[in-house]
Amino acid sequence: MNLQHKVIFNVLAKDAENAKELTDVAGQRVLVGVMVKDFPTEEAAIQQVQSFQENGVLVSVGLGAADPAMWKKVANVSAVTKPDHINQIFPAAGYTLGRMEQLAEKPVVNAVIEPTGTVGKVYISTGPISSANREAVSCEMAANMLAEIGVHSVKFYPIEGEKRLDEVAAMAQAATKAGLKIFEPTGGITVENVHSIVKTCLDNGAETVIPHLYTSLIDKETGKTEVSKIQQLLVMQWD
């Protein structure tokens, strides 16, 4: 994926029609997520991704609430559909990147890192088995491990809106120092708080920020992500 913009929004869509509406308005400034957890089979998820792609939509294949049990499903769906962006647990990010490289594909692959509540310390044990081990490591160690295997991006989740901005800042600094240029804050992000969250990431060295805004953009009656809210995001500016 050619990241031509400093801030790209990762959002959901009810269906291919809604996804196309969002893309028509925002172009390459939106990634539309397909959460594999929402589908009973890999084949069903693949069909959804392909229906989006047929409409010119940039697709982000995701776990679904960072569910670690979905990691292999994400990798398998991605290998078939070759999306622009892939969300993955920390332990499986390198595996997923390797599969895509074998296909001569170069999507953005992130790795989920979890804040601990202590600035400068994070959890990288975000897998289905390792998540039982709540052992904190430094932000620097986490970032360096990703850099070693070539993973492009840190997905920092859950940040609970603006509650953990100091932790966001520390992780963004460490990622930047390790050469990771993309940072993806996720969890509790809304139109109202996204500006300060993205600014925190940029101020601490991130070159590209991909905030994930999901349910906060969805019309509860129609189930669609609202085009008007995407438009509000697009006019925001960061110096």
Side-chain angles (χ1 to χ4, degrees), residues 159-172:
I159 66 163
E160 300 180 84
E162 295 174 290
K163 181 178 178 180
R164 300 180 182 272
L165 289 185
D166 51 355
E167 292 183 80
V168 170
M171 189 63 238

Side-chain angles (χ1 to χ4, degrees), residues 5-227:
H5 301 281
K6 183 163 61 175
V7 182
I8 298 167
F9 303 100
N10 198 313
V11 303
L12 298 177
K14 181 181 180 181
D15 48 31
E17 180 184 4
N18 188 205
K20 188 175 186 303
E21 286 177 337
L22 305 178
T23 299
D24 286 346
V25 169
Q28 293 191 344
R29 289 201 63 195
V30 289
L31 287 160
V32 181
V34 174
M35 305 297 108
V36 300
K37 186 175 182 177
D38 295 340
F39 298 88
T41 63
E42 290 178 6
E43 289 72 23
I46 288 166
Q47 288 177 5
Q48 179 79 311
V49 173
Q50 291 175 336
S51 72
F52 284 11
Q53 291 172 328
E54 288 165 3
N55 283 279
V57 175
L58 300 182
V59 177
S60 171
V61 173
L63 298 150
D67 184 347
M70 297 292 110
W71 77 266
K72 192 67 175 289
K73 194 172 180 181
V74 162
N76 290 344
V77 169
S78 297
V80 173
T81 60
K82 303 175 183 176
D84 298 279
H85 181 273
I86 303 170
N87 300 270
Q88 192 53 281
I89 59 172
F90 190 104
Y95 166 88
T96 305
L97 181 64
R99 286 188 68 177
M100 300 311 295
E101 287 183 346
Q102 282 191 316
L103 297 169
E105 294 293 317
K106 295 183 179 180
V108 171
V109 177
N110 69 31
V112 175
I113 292 176
E114 185 179 344
T116 63
T118 300
V119 177
K121 298 289 185 179
V122 294
Y123 297 125
I124 60 173
S125 51
T126 53
I129 300 172
S130 61
S131 56
N133 300 97
R134 309 300 282 172
E135 299 173 16
V137 302
S138 68
C139 292
E140 290 75 15
M141 178 179 174
N144 286 335
M145 289 178 70
L146 292 183
E148 281 180 328
I149 56 176
V151 171
H152 315 97
S153 178
V154 171
K155 180 175 180 178
F156 204 43
Y157 169 85
I159 66 163
E160 300 180 84
E162 295 174 290
K163 181 178 178 180
R164 300 180 182 272
L165 289 185
D166 51 355
E167 292 183 80
V168 170
M171 189 63 238
Q173 287 176 19
T176 299
K177 187 176 180 181
L180 304 176
K181 299 179 179 180
I182 308 169
F183 200 83
E184 305 185 40
T186 308
I189 304 179
T190 66
V191 171
E192 290 71 31
N193 65 23
V194 67
H195 192 277
S196 64
I197 294 167
V198 169
K199 188 173 189 307
T200 297
C201 300
L202 293 171
D203 287 350
N204 286 280
E207 292 187 15
T208 301
V209 183
I210 307 178
H212 293 233
L213 298 94
Y214 291 156
T215 56
S216 65
L217 304 182
I218 295 174
D219 184 302
K220 292 180 180 177
E221 290 187 7
T222 65
K224 290 186 174 184
T225 290
E226 298 181 62
V227 171

